[in-house]
Amino acid sequence: MSFGFDAAFPATVKLLGGHQTARSLHFLVTILLVLFLLVHIFMIVFAGFQKRMRAMITGRATSLPE
């Protein structure tokens, strides 16, 4: 949190337990969001990116080999 934000909304600093705690929470949430994004990108690649994109764009799904 920037000090300008702290000056404009001082109650948030107290609510989050201080400036350093708010920074730590921000860092943790950022790491979790990045991990969430990476897992989903891996799932897209694993499922076959080109096939899935082609099916979404053309509206025709090809049958998956068994």
Side-chain angles (χ1 to χ4, degrees), residues 4 8 18 21 23 39-40 42 45 58 66:
T21 305
R23 288 179 54 159
V39 167
H40 281 82
F42 173 75
V45 170
T58 63
E66 293 183 20

Side-chain angles (χ1 to χ4, degrees), residues 3-5 17 23-24 27-28 31 38 47-48 58 62 65:
F3 294 107
F5 184 85
R23 288 179 54 159
S24 298
F27 181 75
L28 179 66
I31 293 298
L38 290 175
T58 63
T62 58

Side-chain angles (χ1 to χ4, degrees), residues 12-58:
T12 58
V13 177
K14 290 180 184 176
L15 178 70
L16 294 173
H19 187 76
Q20 185 59 41
T21 305
R23 288 179 54 159
S24 298
L25 286 172
H26 181 266
F27 181 75
L28 179 66
V29 170
T30 301
I31 293 298
L32 291 174
L33 283 172
V34 168
L35 287 174
F36 178 81
L37 177 68
L38 290 175
V39 167
H40 281 82
I41 289 173
F42 173 75
M43 290 178 1
I44 291 168
V45 170
F46 185 70
F49 178 75
Q50 287 181 336
K51 247 188 212 181
R52 302 291 180 194
M53 287 302 292
R54 190 179 312 117
M56 285 193 301
I57 292 170
T58 63

